[in-house]
Amino acid sequence: MQNTKYVFVTGGVTSSLGKGIIAASLAKLLQARGFRVTIQKLDPYINIDPGTLNPYEHGECYVTDDGAETDLDLGHYERFLGIPTSQANNVTTGRIYQSVIDKERKGEFLGKTVQVIPHITDEIKERVQLLGETGEFDIVVTEIGGTVGDIESLPYIESVRQLLWEKGEENAIVIHLTLIPYLAAAGELKTKPTQHSVKSLMESGVSPDILVCRTEHHISDDIKRKLALFCNVNKEDVIESIDAETIYDVPILMLDQGLDKVVLKKLDLPLKSNPDLIKWNDFLIKHKSPTSEVEIALIGKYVELHDSYKSITEAFIHAGSSYATKVNVRWVHSENLDLSNYEEHLKDVDGILVAPGFGDRGIDGKIKAVQYARENNIPFFGICLGMQMAVIEFAKNVLGLKDAYSTEMKPNAENPVIDLMQSQKDVVNKGGTMRLGAWDCQLAEDSKSFKAYGKVNIQERHRHRYEFNNDYLADMEANGMIAVGKNPKADLVEVVEIPDHPWFVGVQYHPEYKSTVLNPHPLFVHFIKAALKYSNQK
Ligand code: GLN
């Protein structure tokens, strides 16, 4: 069997250039040619994981099957590649240091002074090679977070330098993603920032093999030649990455530019087959030429930063394409919804999704949105906190339990219909201690959820501390809200539905994490289907 090969993706000039999308697009093309590929993200911040970060910092926290709380780029990796990632696919500086310090405490360094080089860099290198050593992958694409020149990225760049040397040039390469800004006043694309960024990379002993250049305008041969001359690359290795209509165009644009071919050539790997992108292109056609539209209100408290709900909005795109439908999101700030204005904010939508979240900010607005959907027969989808709000709303307005609440927002609520799990009661640390990762769920065969999934036994990913309180289950069911999905072992309620409503589904888990381009999530597909039906009846 052949050795695993490594591709490192670094970024220069500025952040937000879309390293994750370029890495995912390259991996997609290599996968479509028949290679076994995975992607990894190294994040230079000191948090152990993004689980404790406010979504305003870096957007959504993405959760894997094995319960890792990770960077949202892992969501792109799974959505593009259709294969699950794990804790090993996301490493932070915090995790690296924690592991080195644990080893130091155990005396594993045998009295040596523990230093950034070699101890921190060794740990980074170990994490990079871990995925390769499983034997499951021909190529590991490793994205280095941050921008070249940042102080906090230095140990990662140094580790890349060492790995390039150790593996040899046919086994490890660097792609540097940069920006070629367009100066309107001069009417010109400018290469200088890229020259500086490559220089800064070279000061760390790393010379890029390939430049991928983000640009708003096509890059001429002259500019490519200039970049090649100043940056020690061949002209063919300067790849244009022009602004795309959708992130899902990027693999096709990279194919046109030949990124996969230059990568394989440098890694001394055969081209194998032409990339099989038939299904991908089918998806793109339906996504880009929709024949119908629906409008979904997304109720959340982080709506100013759309990245906070990345997996949900991408799941809408995947599900919408199943019906060649454009899903327009109406962003509704839960804090702005109150008794006087909720109808105005929500009127004319074809579906309402109440989003996940933590804490009590905007809670009453979420409850109002649920009520509006329930009373007006508007398709409703509640995810995690959204499901909990659906339970609270039903308890308040149907069961008449005026003080129904979650103990998360009201610790002494008279009717804690959502309550802390027993196993959570003694938990003190916030990081990595929620109910996380994939859990089993059994669906009732007469439910809308069963109809969507087409099977009884499913597994979905979780990220929460609070649960449906089973003391209220009988009363809820007698009044029309049914627990149609349960965890078979712990008897925890996973899915609630109102059978008398056209489509009212609340899930304690996060279906959005498992939606991919080629496998849109069944609940999102059926939610959009219900929204289309509702829209046609209007
Ligand atoms: N805050 C709620 C809980 O911890 C819901 C979490 C979420 O929406 N992810 O149970």
Side-chain angles (χ1 to χ4, degrees):
M1 199 190 64
Q2 120 149 47
N3 285 343
T4 302
K5 310 252 179 176
Y6 295 87
V7 178
F8 298 99
V9 181
T10 57
V13 181
T14 170
S15 59
S16 305
L17 287 184
K19 278 198 301 286
I21 302 296
I22 291 293
S25 299
L26 170 64
K28 178 76 213 167
L29 293 177
L30 298 173
Q31 184 194 52
R33 283 191 182 271
F35 291 95
R36 300 169 308 155
V37 193
T38 190
I39 323 186
Q40 179 186 45
K41 170 106 191 248
L42 307 183
D43 273 313
Y45 52 71
I46 295 172
N47 303 63
I48 300 289
D49 60 42
T52 50
L53 287 172
N54 184 315
Y56 289 134
E57 294 286 310
H58 296 281
E60 160 191 287
C61 170
Y62 184 80
V63 178
T64 57
D65 275 336
D66 65 346
E69 297 178 279
T70 71
D71 184 78
L72 62 69
D73 272 343
L74 268 78
H76 291 309
Y77 305 164
E78 288 204 15
R79 288 187 281 273
F80 276 58
L81 296 186
I83 54 170
T85 54
S86 70
Q87 182 62 72
N89 297 76
N90 192 196
V91 177
T92 67
T93 293
R95 202 170 278 280
I96 296 286
Y97 271 80
Q98 189 181 46
S99 166
V100 170
I101 291 167
D102 283 350
K103 286 180 187 165
E104 186 274 336
R105 290 290 84 184
K106 285 185 200 146
E108 286 184 22
F109 298 114
L110 304 175
K112 288 278 181 208
T113 308
V114 182
Q115 295 179 294
V116 173
I117 304 170
H119 301 101
I120 295 296
T121 47
D122 278 354
E123 186 73 30
I124 294 172
K125 281 156 61 185
E126 206 178 303
R127 302 292 177 125
V128 169
Q129 293 172 100
L130 206 64
L131 286 165
E133 282 160 6
T134 60
E136 287 171 33
F137 305 107
D138 304 313
I139 303 165
V140 176
V141 179
T142 299
E143 177 193 346
I144 316 287
T147 307
V148 164
D150 295 348
I151 291 174
E152 55 186 16
S153 304
L154 284 174
Y156 292 100
I157 303 295
E158 168 60 17
S159 304
V160 170
R161 186 195 66 77
Q162 293 178 19
L163 280 168
L164 292 171
W165 175 251
E166 286 163 16
K167 301 273 172 205
E169 59 183 16
E170 284 165 5
N171 295 314
I173 60 167
V174 175
I175 299 176
H176 189 55
L177 177 65
T178 76
L179 175 71
I180 309 291
Y182 178 75
L183 284 195
E188 266 182 343
L189 287 167
K190 291 295 185 188
T191 62
K192 195 73 82 186
T194 297
Q195 296 177 36
H196 281 296
S197 148
V198 169
K199 218 178 201 170
S200 148
L201 194 57
M202 284 176 171
E203 277 165 15
S204 302
V206 174
S207 199
D209 295 282
I210 297 167
L211 289 181
V212 175
C213 303
R214 281 295 308 275
T215 174
E216 289 173 22
H217 298 273
H218 286 296
I219 296 177
S220 66
D221 269 0
D222 271 352
I223 291 186
K224 286 191 178 175
R225 225 171 274 123
K226 192 169 171 188
L227 283 165
L229 181 69
F230 281 105
C231 302
N232 280 14
V233 292
N234 299 316
K235 184 173 152 272
E236 309 75 74
D237 302 332
V238 179
I239 304 285
E240 167 192 293
S241 171
I242 199 151
D243 286 359
E245 186 184 330
T246 150
I247 54 170
Y248 300 113
D249 274 336
V250 180
I252 309 298
L253 291 174
M254 290 301 102
L255 179 70
D256 292 345
Q257 291 289 316
L259 176 63
D260 54 333
K261 282 191 182 161
V262 290
V263 165
L264 290 171
K265 190 169 164 206
K266 287 193 184 290
L267 293 175
D268 198 24
L269 288 170
L271 293 179
K272 286 200 179 178
S273 56
N274 274 333
D276 176 3
L277 293 164
I278 296 171
K279 287 188 184 152
W280 190 274
N281 281 321
D282 278 353
F283 155 82
L284 270 179
I285 291 168
K286 284 194 268 171
H287 171 45
K288 289 167 74 173
S289 316
T291 50
S292 52
E293 289 189 31
V294 289
E295 188 175 18
I296 305 291
L298 192 155
I299 327 292
K301 68 169 175 179
Y302 309 110
V303 293
E304 304 91 326
L305 182 70
H306 295 183
D307 270 2
S308 307
Y309 304 102
K310 195 75 199 158
S311 293
I312 293 178
T313 52
E314 297 308 308
F316 280 151
I317 291 174
H318 310 150
S321 84
S322 308
Y323 299 104
T325 295
K326 180 162 192 274
V327 180
N328 298 310
V329 176
R330 185 187 295 182
W331 298 92
V332 180
H333 203 302
S334 50
E335 260 189 321
N336 297 341
L337 277 186
D338 59 38
L339 267 181
S340 67
N341 67 9
Y342 70 97
E343 284 181 287
E344 188 191 319
H345 277 290
L346 299 173
K347 83 168 180 273
D348 297 333
V349 294
D350 306 308
I352 292 180
L353 185 145
V354 177
F358 295 85
D360 63 1
R361 186 163 68 92
I363 282 304
D364 291 334
K366 289 191 168 176
I367 296 175
K368 267 284 152 239
V370 178
Q371 184 179 359
Y372 187 74
R374 185 177 59 76
E375 291 181 345
N376 293 289
N377 285 330
I378 301 168
F380 169 82
F381 198 7
I383 298 184
C384 207
L385 184 71
M387 172 268 201
Q388 297 175 355
M389 292 306 114
V391 171
I392 292 172
E393 190 280 324
F394 199 83
K396 274 187 195 295
N397 298 329
V398 180
L399 270 55
L401 304 174
K402 291 296 165 219
D403 189 38
Y405 239 106
S406 162
T407 47
E408 178 179 6
M409 291 91 204
K410 208 171 186 184
N412 301 319
E414 212 174 295
N415 287 292
V417 290
I418 302 293
D419 199 6
L420 206 54
M421 274 180 281
Q422 196 53 39
S423 58
Q424 285 286 336
K425 293 204 168 143
D426 298 323
V427 170
V428 186
N429 282 350
K430 292 274 182 261
T433 55
M434 281 188 258
R435 182 181 172 208
L436 289 166
W439 285 64
D440 292 333
C441 171
Q442 253 172 18
L443 297 172
E445 292 196 26
D446 55 357
S447 63
K448 297 202 173 66
S449 302
F450 174 82
K451 211 166 162 195
Y453 284 96
K455 57 184 176 187
V456 169
N457 292 308
I458 56 161
Q459 268 209 335
E460 291 284 1
R461 300 180 193 173
H462 289 249
R463 182 171 186 252
H464 59 104
R465 285 183 211 283
Y466 293 81
E467 294 284 348
F468 184 104
N469 181 346
N470 278 332
D471 292 349
Y472 293 87
L473 183 56
D475 213 5
M476 294 286 234
E477 292 202 325
N479 284 281
M481 177 175 269
I482 312 293
V484 301
K486 281 191 181 172
N487 176 272
K489 277 202 196 109
D491 206 34
L492 294 168
V493 172
E494 303 277 3
V495 190
V496 294
E497 290 184 8
I498 298 179
D500 277 347
H501 184 287
W503 208 87
F504 189 104
V505 178
V507 291
Q508 184 58 81
Y509 50 79
H510 290 265
E512 70 275 23
Y513 294 144
K514 282 177 70 165
S515 185
T516 68
V517 168
L518 300 187
N519 280 310
H521 194 284
L523 285 181
F524 277 87
V525 172
H526 278 235
F527 177 51
I528 296 305
K529 187 177 170 194
L532 266 173
K533 194 169 164 199
Y534 180 83
S535 157
N536 290 334
Q537 283 165 357
K538 265 197 314 204

